[in-house]
Amino acid sequence: MSRPILATVFPEALAANLRVARARSPGAKVYAVIKANAYGHGIERIYPGLAAADGIGILELDAACRLRRLGYAGPILLLEGFFAADELAEFAANQFAAAVHGEDQLRMLETTPTAQPIDVCLKVNTGMNRLGFAPEAVRGALARLEALPAVRGITLMSHFATADEPGGAREQLARFRAVCEGLPYPVTVANSAAILGEHAVGGSLVRPGIMIYGASPTAARSAASLGLVPAMELTAQVIGVQELAPEDCVGYGATFRASAPMRIGVVACGYADGYPRHAPTGTPVLVEGVRTRLVGRVSMDMITVDLTAMPQAGVGSKVELWGRRLPVDEVAQAAGTIAYELLCAVAPRVPFAVADRGE
Ligand SMILES: *Cc1c(COP(=O)(O)O)cnc(C)c1O
């Protein structure tokens, strides 16, 4: 038997979560954001669930090409567009739409002839201050795009910095609406947090990412309360048991010391599998479906968990690190990070399986 750790992906959950995004976005096209290898789930693994989307948002050109080879015929938007002029031929051949976020890209479009025109999303910087044209530069950029034979459809795009906070999209949205005033183009602004937020931000196209994997974009709401179901479960097994006497320590740095007799389970999952090394003692873990806690430091290949109250658990017991019974958001919060990072970080050495909703 191989090392007992497994990440299971549920494409059906992705489809169900896409339906939640759709219900929250009346009249809008729903593009599934599958950058970073579908937030660590694997594009090929979640592929069947993508039928529930109207299009794809992605960042990596090679992954976008892979999608076409898988037979995906729908719209694909490259969220950061192209990075060099020689990529434009690929955009035209595969009919990829490109975000155009800066002067350099605009110039590449102007100076690179393509076999066919492509759709573009002109990105407006409304306050995130990473990528995008300043509001006052938008009209000029649009005039140049309109004049280009290499450009077909134009959409106006922006991205929120604080849509996960109450009212957090308001200021950027006001700036964006001022820019769009009187312009005939479709618009796209909403990420998961904006889709699920209290106030509708609208748009002709929405771009849900984290929510389609069944995690919450905001610490204020659990994924379950938003109607989302986890698309990944990370499980392992107990591979050893230690009986501790009072004053015995566990693991590197001896950071955990038992104050009473304890039973410790050693689990085949460590930071080299993508489990967060900064997860402290107390981080929730499920053993045989029962919630217990991590104790001591996370090491490369193992974690240690408290089995004191679980005499029935032992070597071979099933452990859920996160998944359908233990939200990844809770583990992330305990470890001082976000579900995005944990899902993206599942390591290459972890074997994956694909399953339907059944057990
Ligand atoms: C990643 C990304 C999204 C999705 O964001 P989530 O918070 O995961 O919903 C949407 N739009 C752009 C431009 C992105 O880069």
Side-chain angles (χ1 to χ4, degrees), residues 33 35 39 79 123 157 159 191-193 207-210 340:
V33 175
K35 61 192 175 189
Y39 288 42
L79 296 165
K123 189 160 186 182
M157 173 181 184
H159 194 53
N191 56 3
S192 298
R207 314 187 302 262
I210 194 68
Y340 296 75

